[in-house]
Amino acid sequence: SRGLDFEQFILLQANDGILPKRAAAPTFLPDSIRRAYQLSVLENQDSIFAYVFYRLLQRSVQSWITYNALVTDQSTGEPSRFLAQLAYETTLQPERKQVAIPLKAYWKEAITIEKTAPVMALLNRFSNRESKMSPSAFNTYLDCRLKFYFQYLAQIKEPDEFLTDPDSRTVGNIFHKTLEILYARLAGQGGNGQVDKAGIALLREWLPEAVGQAFAAELTQKTDTAFPFSGSLLVLREIIAGYVKKVLDVDEHYAPFAQESLEREIMMQVPITVSGRRETIWMGGYIDRVDLKEGVYRIVDYKTGMDDKNIPSVESLFDRGNTRRNKAALQTFIYARIWRQGEAPETALETGLYDVRAIGKTPAGFSWQFVFKGNGAPEKIDHRSFAPLEDEIWGKVTEVLEEIYNPFVPFDQTILVEKCERCAYNKLCGR
């Protein structure tokens, strides 16, 4: 604008504090030193804004200048001082107009999907083992019936987003993949699945290579070439390596144990009764790890988020009105039930979480077991207390499955709006 002439121009948001800008000069030098050496100071910046403003007006025939009169945390609602100068210090007579856009707030009606015949037909997909219901889908139904319908029945895909850095889901996948690569290599090395302190030492040696392979598998789908780390990915590599080291520290303290399976797909048929009619659906998914020590099987689920191992009661796992419902615990219990039915129904079984953010500097102080409060003092759930608790939880799971197939229970929205803040489908339902 210093060297160009415009017959018409539109200047937006000419509020004081924006024109001229209310900010300190972009410099590391103190104001006193700048004045002592006759360098540019804040007043010079205001002069530059004023020159550019009047230079725009010099050749213009018609101009529009707008400002926001609303008083907010970011604005005083005052027009620029330059506009006052036009009105009181020049012969120009600007025409003032006030424009308001009336907005009428309204509450969007809740969306409810009734279980008509076509909708009920969509539920038949869970009768096929190839499209089984996962524990994640089950948790989604408890969180919001409508989201369950959008994601798993209507199969509306989440919108693709351009990410400059891996999101939390990708970080979790890389973390899981690194551990899978390490323990699979150890199993192939020994051949018997035994994990001892010497084996953990080998895993630490292989860790840098395994992290690179995991990044390549997740981000480029190529494992035969080295992954080109640069920028923030270098930092992320060290974070994930730190997470894996914590797991290895805990495993070293827990060793020796036998490694039974890694990232194994499990499934089972679940019979339910709906309106006097028997239905059979498939449930299953991928279980992170199963160990065996002293005759007790242990199902481990890796978590990189802020997950909790406390279970106030069985009812709390199914409480739709609780934003802090322990979804990780319920998911692990469902996996345990499916694994037990398919592998070893009569064996001793325990479940737990490797939530890496809870692992401190001393692995001996970390507990991977869930803690159940019930009506008494909190107790860790071991293989002796797991079986009766598992049966009670599975009874509740069956009730929810029957509700999913109940034609009189529609797919409606959750009443807890705070659940909608990070939901990928909140644009569809206006939340």
Side-chain angles (χ1 to χ4, degrees), residues 108-128:
K108 188 172 182 179
E109 294 184 5
I111 300 175
T112 300
I113 306 296
E114 299 292 343
K115 289 180 180 174
T116 59
V119 173
M120 292 296 293
L122 295 175
L123 288 168
N124 292 333
R125 68 188 304 264
F126 298 122
S127 301
N128 186 346

Side-chain angles (χ1 to χ4, degrees), residues 129-294:
R129 61 182 297 161
E130 301 301 325
S131 55
K132 55 191 174 296
M133 182 184 298
S134 66
S136 297
F138 186 87
N139 267 322
T140 299
Y141 180 81
L142 289 176
D143 280 342
C144 178
R145 297 183 182 97
L146 185 63
K147 182 179 179 180
F148 174 85
Y149 172 80
F150 283 153
Q151 186 171 356
Y152 296 101
L153 297 184
Q155 300 187 56
I156 300 174
K157 303 298 182 184
E158 296 183 15
D160 294 330
E161 296 182 0
F162 177 76
L163 299 174
T164 56
D165 294 310
D167 58 357
S168 58
R169 181 185 301 178
T170 304
V171 171
N173 291 343
I174 296 173
F175 169 69
H176 279 70
K177 190 65 178 178
T178 303
L179 285 166
E180 180 187 359
I181 292 171
L182 285 173
Y183 276 101
R185 182 175 177 180
L186 183 63
Q189 191 92 347
N192 56 2
Q194 293 296 317
V195 179
D196 53 19
K197 297 185 185 302
I200 298 295
L202 281 176
L203 295 180
R204 289 196 175 97
E205 293 179 10
W206 300 335
L207 177 57
E209 181 183 354
V211 173
Q213 291 174 345
F215 267 89
E218 182 65 26
L219 300 182
T220 66
Q221 287 74 48
K222 297 179 181 178
T223 57
D224 54 345
T225 57
F227 185 82
F229 286 100
S230 63
S232 60
L233 291 180
L234 290 168
V235 178
L236 186 59
R237 179 183 64 181
E238 297 306 312
I239 292 174
I240 293 177
Y243 286 166
V244 176
K245 288 177 183 177
K246 287 185 175 184
V247 172
L248 296 181
D249 290 341
V250 174
D251 282 347
E252 184 177 34
H253 180 75
Y254 183 72
F257 59 89
Q259 179 181 282
E260 288 294 307
S261 65
L262 288 171
E263 297 292 339
R264 180 179 174 183
E265 185 179 20
I266 57 174
M267 64 186 73
M268 67 176 287
Q269 285 184 297
V270 183
I272 60 174
T273 303
V274 179
S275 302
R277 187 183 69 258
R278 297 284 289 180
E279 296 277 356
T280 301
I281 65 174
W282 284 90
M283 288 194 73
Y286 287 87
I287 195 166
D288 289 345
R289 195 172 104 193
V290 180
D291 301 331
L292 175 62
K293 181 175 181 177
E294 298 175 356

